Amino acid sequence: MSTETKTRVAWHWCCQQPHFTSQQLQDAAAMKKGHSNRVITRWVNAGVIERLADTYRPASYRVVNPQQPPVFGSGSNQKGRSYRRFRTWRKTQQQKMWNTMLINRTFGQDDLVMTCGVDSRNAHGFIEKLISTGYVKVLHRKEKDFPVSERKPSRFQLVRDTGRHAPICRENGCWDQNEQRFYPFLTEENEHGYVA
């Protein structure tokens, strides 16, 4: 059985498990230990599996979304390296914005642009994702119907300070590095002005 075939078998097996360890993956897909560890590392970096917060040794993992498989074959390593370079840059920018939020507690989009060296689109996207996962609440939204000269800039407040590491934004929520917990995007706005 080729390496690519074993990796595909491993993925299909993982999708059927509520959680699994590296050893269980080795046994199920007839992999060597080194291959299993590389696959798990690549999949964690790609965001297709995640480590469960309540496990230490042996570490347990689960598939984030069975409908979003990893890249298989010869392109997977190159794509993984490109993804990690982008992810490292993204995390650095998000960490700078998170640090500003931790220090200021209340802030606007322009504060993040000026202090963190990010563009408005990235600042807006990060704020909206943190609102959608309950980290940030809206204090004031810019009134688009008012004349430009009378519009007050939007203001936000950090309401969930879980620690110094910034949440990692994913397609369906944010991974909290401090709590080792995943917060999904939610849709209903509560009385505090943010989704919960």
Side-chain angles (χ1 to χ4, degrees), residues 78-91:
Q78 181 60 42
K79 181 166 184 177
R81 285 194 289 271
S82 299
Y83 180 88
R84 285 194 293 274
R85 282 196 295 270
F86 168 73
R87 189 165 176 259
T88 300
W89 175 86
R90 182 179 64 181
K91 284 171 62 178

Side-chain angles (χ1 to χ4, degrees), residues 13-89:
W13 178 84
C14 291
C15 289
Q16 298 169 7
Q17 313 304 316
H19 53 80
F20 59 91
T21 65
S22 178
Q23 183 63 55
Q24 289 171 334
L25 181 59
Q26 290 172 48
D27 296 341
M31 287 179 161
K32 293 183 178 178
K33 182 176 182 180
H35 183 198
S36 171
N37 290 342
R38 285 192 301 274
V39 166
I40 286 177
T41 299
R42 188 163 65 240
W43 289 352
V44 168
N45 288 337
V48 297
I49 66 171
E50 61 188 8
R51 182 173 174 165
L52 298 181
D54 58 349
T55 62
Y56 181 61
R57 288 183 182 171
S60 288
Y61 305 87
R62 75 172 184 88
V63 172
V64 174
N65 184 352
Q67 304 304 315
Q68 294 180 343
V71 176
F72 299 105
S74 59
S76 61
N77 288 337
Q78 181 60 42
K79 181 166 184 177
R81 285 194 289 271
S82 299
Y83 180 88
R84 285 194 293 274
R85 282 196 295 270
F86 168 73
R87 189 165 176 259
T88 300
W89 175 86

Side-chain angles (χ1 to χ4, degrees), residues 10 29 34 82 96 103 116 128 133 137 139 159-160 195:
S82 299
K96 289 179 181 178
I103 293 168
C116 305
E128 291 302 319
T133 46
K137 77 172 181 178
L139 296 178
V159 292
R160 181 190 291 147
V195 291

